[in-house]
Amino acid sequence: MEAKRMAVIGAGQMGHGIAQVFAQGGYRVSLMDKYPEALEKAKSRISEGLARLVQKGRVTEEEARSCAGRVSYTGDMNEALQGIDVMVEAVPELPELKKEVFRDADKAAPAGAVLASNTSNIRISDMAEQTSRPERVVGMHFFNPAPVMKLVEVIPNPRTEPSVVEYAADVCRKLGKTPVKVLKDSPGFIVNRINAADMLFFSLVVDAGVATPAEVDAYAKGQGMPMGPFELLDFVGIDVAHDSLQYFSKAISPEYGKAKSIARLYGEKRLGKKTGGGFYEWVEGRARIEQAAPTDKVTLMDVFAIEINEAVKLIEEGVALPGDIDTAVTLGMNRPFGPISVARSFTSSEIASRLNELSARFGCAVFAPAASIAGGKLREAIEDRKAEPKAEPKAEPAAQAKAGPVAVERLGGGVARIVLDRPRRNTINAEALDALDRAITELWDDRETAVVLVGGRGDTFSAGAELSQFFSNSVDFMEFSRKGQRVFRRLSELPKLTVAVMKGYALGGGLELAMSCDLRLCADETQIGLPEVTLGLVPGWSGTQRAVKLLGAARASELILAGRRMTAARAYEIGLVHAVFPPRDIEEAAVGYAKELASTVAPVSVMLAKRLINKAAEGGSDAGLEMEAASLGVLYGTEDLKEGIAAFLGKRAPRFRGR
Ligand SMILES: NC(=O)c1ccc[n+]([C@@H]2O[C@H](COP(=O)([O-])OP(=O)(O)OC[C@H]3O[C@@H](n4cnc5c(N)ncnc54)[C@H](O)[C@@H]3O)[C@@H](O)[C@H]2O)c1
């Protein structure tokens, strides 16, 4: 059944945002609040939100008007729930209040409607049990601000029908959100469970006099974080942190009740930004943070260990799968990487000893290592696996089901195609490099194939290396460069004619991939470039060496040193690409071109001629590659790299300091 009508109960910070998201998704939505002034405020917030979108050119005025017209406002629950398909409750985080809302909603909503809660922490079963339809009750946990944040955690209660979970996830996808299915109804679900341990830790650091909030925040900012943890606590609200920790202290362990600084501020009604003071004083919307030297008593490693520990507990308890935890943390906490990706760089004993030290130092069992970590089985615990069939009864739609990050397709007529198929504009990570390497091996001795097209799924080639991967030290970072170099060199040596099909973005590692092919076809409007120097990096997958060989030092400098994007026309002019096509024609043109080549060139001649060309282009290249990788090793430790990546992820201009 296709959802058409929605209701949101509670028109506050979250409720108005969720209603706006529904309206933008084309649904009719009634927004209900007990207080008329809350409805008034929600109405103006929604129209301000839509006006901002118009200003940014994201929607037209006409679209904004019709979007606003899809929201109706009411103070009456019966009216709000008439004829709806889905309700999302977003009243304050008070268990008794939420239960009452669910009792009323159950009476007022059509029998088939799905009743969802946007609770941050409370078990969904608490609400479901109040209704006559627990099988149609789920959690749909949006993040703040709802119109911006992509993540929605979808949570079943033990009696939820699997098809209802799928239905809710589907609604999220239609809203352009990324649903992460939580497998078990557990307090705080994924993101807030991990976040609660962080909050507890930072409070204990201050409680024990280990460091001041300003010292901790100075350290965090030095690590490239846009906001320190205490500034963030004030920003989100001390009451929100306090309520969560109190709930956890009852629902999971009394140890969560040990955060004294947070409890004290809460008792003093110093709730952070909203009351003008919390850990800091807030003036004109900004925290007044005194100058402080970054602490050396708290390290990122402490936070990593705590988050990895919580992630492993979630896996052990069957709350979530490793891959989903990373998706939820990156999207929900605005992080460049999640705890699972970080955990891959450490051993069980490294994490266990750090956790043992923290739990002893702060006398807090929340930090004691999870069973798998204590038992030396961290690696096994975080291994990615699929959900149990019973937890995932319905197959994902075909578009979601992916064979892997790189596909090999046989197109007939002596042509094969290697297709990069990755999220975020086909960005390339270590897994994609491995898959590309396998694809090269698969085609190496394939006598049926003479020409190999190399392209990207969808409307883009590749926007480059994934910048959200975690590397624990400069050696790993350097090895990641060498790995890319190795795979791209194998591609350049593949005894077939290789043709890159560039479209959308061919940036950084994406352009290095294209440059590792023999020929390059390009769609008009493709954004081409090696922007590494604007991020505090250098091209690391042989781009520095290949660009010079292909274009000469002067033109390579235009690409590498200026770091600017280049048009397809300019790339054609300097000989970087061999032909330019309109975007809608490129795929067909490329296949036609490849088939024609496959029928006209002699495979063995191509194989040998290619080796000769490669030979001719050689000269000091190994030393250059070694230096390229070593440069990345050096850059790993620079502040400019952290700043470059933080600015990129935060969508702001970097402030490089030359160190
Ligand atoms: N604010 C966040 O960052 C955030 C993020 C994710 C989830 N949440 C969760 O979303 C829920 C709402 O949080 P919020 O920040 O929007 O709170 P809020 O205080 O801004 O809004 C709550 C609204 O509910 C209304 N309300 C109170 N009782 C009601 C009733 N009986 N019937 C109808 N309306 C009623 C209030 O008038 C208010 O407008 C909470 O469960 C919270 O934990 C909050």
Side-chain angles (χ1 to χ4, degrees):
M1 179 195 65
E2 173 102 42
K4 292 197 178 70
R5 275 195 83 97
M6 311 303 205
V8 179
I9 309 300
Q13 175 62 29
M14 292 308 292
H16 91 274
I18 297 168
Q20 181 185 324
V21 171
F22 279 143
Q24 281 178 244
Y27 297 103
R28 298 197 69 78
V29 48
S30 39
L31 181 53
M32 182 266 169
D33 201 287
K34 206 167 141 182
Y35 303 99
E37 59 277 17
L39 288 173
E40 276 307 313
K41 193 169 167 196
K43 193 170 185 173
S44 59
R45 285 168 115 179
I46 291 177
S47 66
E48 282 160 22
L50 291 171
R52 270 196 300 276
L53 292 178
V54 173
Q55 229 172 30
K56 288 185 190 158
R58 303 259 297 277
V59 299
T60 64
E61 280 193 28
E62 176 59 39
E63 283 163 346
R65 248 195 314 277
S66 64
C67 189
R70 285 193 283 275
V71 189
S72 55
Y73 301 83
T74 175
D76 184 77
M77 175 83 98
N78 289 319
E79 187 186 320
L81 298 185
Q82 217 166 42
I84 59 140
D85 302 300
V86 178
M87 170 200 89
V88 178
E89 163 277 312
V91 302
E93 188 78 347
L94 302 167
E96 291 313 314
L97 174 62
K98 287 195 187 280
K99 286 181 190 172
E100 185 188 322
V101 167
F102 270 79
R103 279 195 295 274
D104 294 346
D106 187 38
K107 288 184 206 120
V114 169
L115 305 182
S117 173
N118 183 53
T119 176
S120 301
N121 295 310
I122 302 169
R123 280 196 191 95
I124 305 303
S125 50
D126 288 3
M127 280 77 81
E129 280 157 13
Q130 304 298 314
T131 72
S132 60
R133 62 180 100 187
E135 71 287 351
R136 301 192 75 69
V137 176
V138 282
M140 281 173 81
H141 182 206
F142 291 77
F143 286 71
N144 188 20
V148 176
M149 299 292 276
K150 288 270 173 247
L151 178 68
V152 183
E153 290 177 336
V154 177
I155 311 115
N157 76 78
R159 293 168 67 186
T160 308
E161 259 177 33
S163 63
V164 171
V165 175
E166 191 50 48
Y167 178 77
D170 211 41
V171 167
C172 296
R173 280 186 212 107
K174 290 193 178 119
L175 297 171
K177 301 289 179 194
T178 304
V180 163
K181 288 183 211 160
V182 178
L183 302 176
K184 195 167 152 189
D185 188 14
S186 164
F189 322 118
I190 301 174
V191 172
N192 284 340
R193 173 80 175 270
I194 290 174
N195 199 20
D198 282 348
M199 293 191 299
L200 175 61
F201 169 68
F202 287 116
S203 183
L204 292 178
V205 164
V206 172
D207 298 349
V210 170
T212 66
E215 288 166 347
V216 174
D217 283 1
Y219 169 75
K221 284 192 189 160
Q223 296 300 312
M225 288 183 192
M227 227 187 230
F230 289 96
E231 191 180 355
L232 187 64
L233 275 165
D234 269 1
F235 184 79
V236 172
I238 299 297
D239 48 341
V240 175
H242 179 260
D243 289 349
S244 296
L245 290 170
Q246 283 305 304
Y247 181 73
F248 279 66
S249 74
K250 292 187 194 95
I252 299 182
S253 154
E255 296 283 295
Y256 283 94
K258 288 184 166 170
K260 289 204 193 71
S261 304
I262 290 176
R264 178 178 51 77
L265 290 171
Y266 180 81
E268 292 167 358
K269 298 204 167 37
R270 286 175 59 81
L271 305 182
K273 184 180 174 191
K274 65 178 91 164
T275 58
F279 283 105
Y280 302 113
E281 297 308 320
W282 285 72
V283 181
E284 289 168 4
R286 286 179 176 275
R288 287 219 166 132
I289 306 177
E290 63 271 27
Q291 280 289 331
T295 181
D296 58 0
K297 306 281 185 316
V298 172
T299 69
L300 264 191
M301 191 57 211
D302 296 330
V303 181
F304 286 161
I306 287 169
E307 294 187 351
I308 290 168
N309 199 30
E310 291 309 305
V312 170
K313 289 184 207 168
L314 289 172
I315 297 165
E316 288 174 350
E317 292 165 19
V319 177
L321 296 171
D324 288 341
I325 294 175
D326 267 12
T327 305
V329 170
T330 48
L331 295 180
M333 293 169 86
N334 274 327
R335 293 284 182 78
F337 36 70
I340 302 297
S341 123
V342 177
R344 292 202 182 98
S345 294
F346 297 101
T347 62
S348 296
S349 65
E350 283 169 320
I351 301 296
S353 70
R354 180 61 61 126
L355 289 169
N356 283 326
E357 199 255 315
L358 289 174
S359 66
R361 174 150 51 130
F362 295 110
C364 184
V366 173
F367 310 137
S372 310
I373 297 174
K377 298 223 172 333
L378 173 62
R379 189 77 55 240
E380 290 85 339
I382 61 171
E383 217 166 73
D384 222 342
R385 57 197 100 118
K386 296 274 162 275
E388 294 295 317
K390 68 177 169 34
E392 199 93 359
K394 267 199 166 177
E396 292 269 318
Q400 308 283 323
K402 284 201 192 140
V406 172
V408 176
E409 299 169 353
R410 302 290 197 296
L411 306 181
V415 177
R417 181 158 57 190
I418 291 178
V419 189
L420 194 56
D421 189 359
R422 289 261 313 139
R424 299 196 187 128
R425 301 189 175 125
N426 292 325
T427 46
I428 303 169
N429 61 1
E431 191 194 349
L433 286 175
D434 286 336
L436 178 58
D437 203 30
R438 286 193 297 275
I440 294 166
T441 305
E442 181 180 331
L443 291 169
W444 200 277
D445 296 320
D446 177 2
R447 295 182 143 263
E448 301 294 315
T449 298
V451 179
V452 179
L453 294 170
V454 178
R457 186 80 71 210
D459 53 14
T460 209
F461 181 70
S462 168
E466 188 179 84
L467 291 174
S468 58
Q469 265 188 286
F470 174 78
F471 297 96
S472 62
N473 57 52
S474 65
V475 176
D476 286 358
F477 196 50
M478 197 164 77
E479 282 308 308
F480 185 50
S481 160
R482 288 164 52 85
K483 181 184 188 116
Q485 291 176 349
R486 251 188 336 266
V487 176
F488 287 9
R489 170 179 280 203
R490 284 194 78 223
L491 177 62
S492 74
E493 291 175 351
L494 183 69
K496 316 277 171 193
L497 212 168
T498 53
V499 183
V501 185
M502 297 157 65
K503 56 193 173 172
Y505 292 86
L507 294 173
L511 182 55
E512 292 176 294
L513 172 65
M515 289 196 295
S516 307
C517 296
D518 302 318
L519 299 169
R520 280 159 292 284
L521 307 182
C522 188
D524 208 0
E525 294 164 20
T526 303
Q527 305 218 25
I528 301 163
L530 292 172
E532 283 83 353
V533 295
T534 67
L535 298 162
L537 287 164
V538 294
W541 287 339
S542 64
T544 57
Q545 309 300 294
R546 274 185 212 288
V548 174
K549 280 184 204 162
L550 286 177
L551 308 168
R555 278 166 176 169
S557 300
E558 179 182 345
L559 266 178
I560 298 170
L561 301 183
R564 298 247 170 86
R565 296 186 187 185
M566 186 177 272
T567 60
R570 175 71 184 146
Y572 180 70
E573 195 176 285
I574 65 171
L576 177 58
V577 303
H578 298 85
V580 178
F581 299 91
R584 63 177 178 284
D585 298 341
I586 180 108
E587 289 294 346
E588 205 181 316
V591 174
Y593 179 71
K595 287 197 171 164
E596 193 193 322
L597 283 176
S599 67
T600 49
V601 300
V604 179
S605 299
V606 163
M607 183 176 88
L608 293 174
K610 181 168 172 163
R611 274 196 214 152
L612 292 169
I613 292 171
N614 282 349
K615 239 326 139 227
E618 259 176 26
S621 138
D622 280 351
L625 288 175
E626 202 52 57
M627 282 171 60
E628 190 182 86
S631 303
L632 283 165
V634 170
L635 288 167
Y636 176 84
T638 62
E639 282 177 31
D640 281 356
L641 172 57
K642 283 177 196 137
E643 170 61 15
I645 303 284
F648 172 75
L649 295 169
K651 299 189 174 67
R652 62 173 171 81
R655 287 180 295 273
F656 293 128
R657 295 153 89 178
R659 53 178 193 247

